[in-house]
Amino acid sequence: MDNDDPRNGTEENHREIKKPKLTHAITEHEIRHEFSHHETAVARINNGSFGSCPNSVLAAQNSWQLRFLRQPDDFFFNKLRKGILDSRLIIKDIINADDVEDISLIDNATTAAAIVLQQFGRRFSSGEFRDNDSVIIFHCAYQAVKKSIDAYVIPVGGSVVEVQLPFPVHSDQEIIAEFKKGLERGKVNGGRVREEEVDQIFVDGAHAIGSLRVDVKEIDADFYVSNLYKWLFSPPSVAFMYCNKKLKDVHHPVVAHEYGKGLPAESAWVGMRDYSPQLVVPTILEFVNRFEGGIEGIMRRNHDMVVKMGIILKESWGTILGSPPEMCAGMIMVGLPSKLCVTSDDDALRLRFYLRVYHAVEVPVYYQALRDAERDPRDKDGFITGYVRISHQVYNTVDDYHRLKTAIIQILEDGKICSKLPKE
């Protein structure tokens, strides 16, 4: 970033941000007030998809929007970049980065995928990467990431290796073993993959910040992205992107007049748009610090509660968890009773719709195809091929999960199967 530009702030902006001392922990009543805009009739146990934003942060967002509308020129020249810098400094501390210039604020993880994969594409075009060099991804990578590979890497000679992630999963070692197999597949036909000295690692940690500890120095990836709106209470849409300073030729996919001044500057102005989600991070910090233990305390309680609720559900339904509790953060997969007959993605969609419309429960439902009859999980009636992914955030109550438990039991008692449920 051009540090001589007065819009970027001064050294005063760069002083260490200290965590305030908690005077009194937020009460349940205050939590209810912060999320009073949520539809009260709905058991909202799907924080992982769209996140949640408290009223105090929404008020700060509205204040930033009004500042722009009152005097746009003053906002652009005197407030915007300083405000974004304040937010970046907070993120730097949360993720333990060395330098605020390694941190950019962008729209979401999809934008980060475009940034990284466009850079990959340029390196293929220049000959730095060569034909058949491979991008190694898990099969469950977000669809937009796969499409970005199709758009930016495949046309210039790169190849892609999809690693089948085991599920249900029982240990970290299972994942590592499958990934190592993917690395070997990437070497076929003369392709190169990252070993000790080559190429790059991009971590799409879309759900990470706010749900688990992120230490970019410990992770040691070249790129790391995480959405702030999923688990860190921001309004949509904003994500942080960490980019190792040693990397060159990294640009925002929208080329504006800050092009060439570094990714943080390019991301801070991509033309006329609403920048308020990038500006409310200081208010988010104030909100999370009202909780005992701050963001670490929130993460710990979300993990403990989602595990507890997951165990209650799987014991009630006679099923399983999709992974050990220690591999989960604020979400957990719970097997559905086999008698529901979740035998396709369409069945999963029907059940999700039915739970939303007829039981006021919002939760993602997934179909998991059978892979190995010897190892695939079973309940007393057959193979488990359907799962719900439950989340826990500070606004959730135990009753939310009991409503899901009761809804599934009611569907079974009514003798319904998923293929016969309406989906619109």
Side-chain angles (χ1 to χ4, degrees), residues 234-338:
S234 85
S237 177
V238 59
F240 84 82
M241 183 172 181
Y242 166 83
C243 176
N244 191 307
K245 63 172 64 68
K246 71 183 180 187
L247 299 170
K248 309 299 181 186
D249 195 30
V250 179
H251 299 286
H252 196 281
V254 177
V255 177
H257 63 258
E258 301 292 346
Y259 180 82
K261 296 182 179 179
L263 187 60
E266 292 180 11
S267 303
W269 183 258
V270 293
M272 184 64 171
R273 52 154 292 175
D274 180 12
Y275 291 89
S276 61
Q278 299 186 13
L279 296 164
V280 297
V281 176
T283 305
I284 293 171
L285 186 66
E286 292 174 5
F287 173 73
V288 300
N289 282 337
R290 292 165 64 190
F291 289 80
E292 190 71 42
I295 190 61
E296 293 85 3
I298 292 172
M299 292 189 296
R300 184 170 55 252
R301 285 188 291 274
N302 283 339
H303 167 77
D304 291 346
M305 284 301 298
V306 83
V307 168
K308 182 178 179 181
M309 295 301 103
I311 291 172
I312 287 173
L313 292 175
K314 70 107 173 174
E315 290 180 350
S316 173
W317 299 336
T319 61
I320 63 167
L321 298 179
S323 61
E326 62 270 18
M327 293 182 71
C328 300
M331 301 183 292
I332 200 165
M333 299 281 277
V334 185
L336 288 164
S338 62

Side-chain angles (χ1 to χ4, degrees), residues 11 16 48 93 98 122 151 183 203 238 258 263 295 380:
E11 289 300 317
E16 184 180 356
D93 289 346
D98 281 328
R122 289 190 291 271
L183 293 177
V203 178
V238 59
E258 301 292 346
L263 187 60
I295 190 61
K380 63 183 179 64

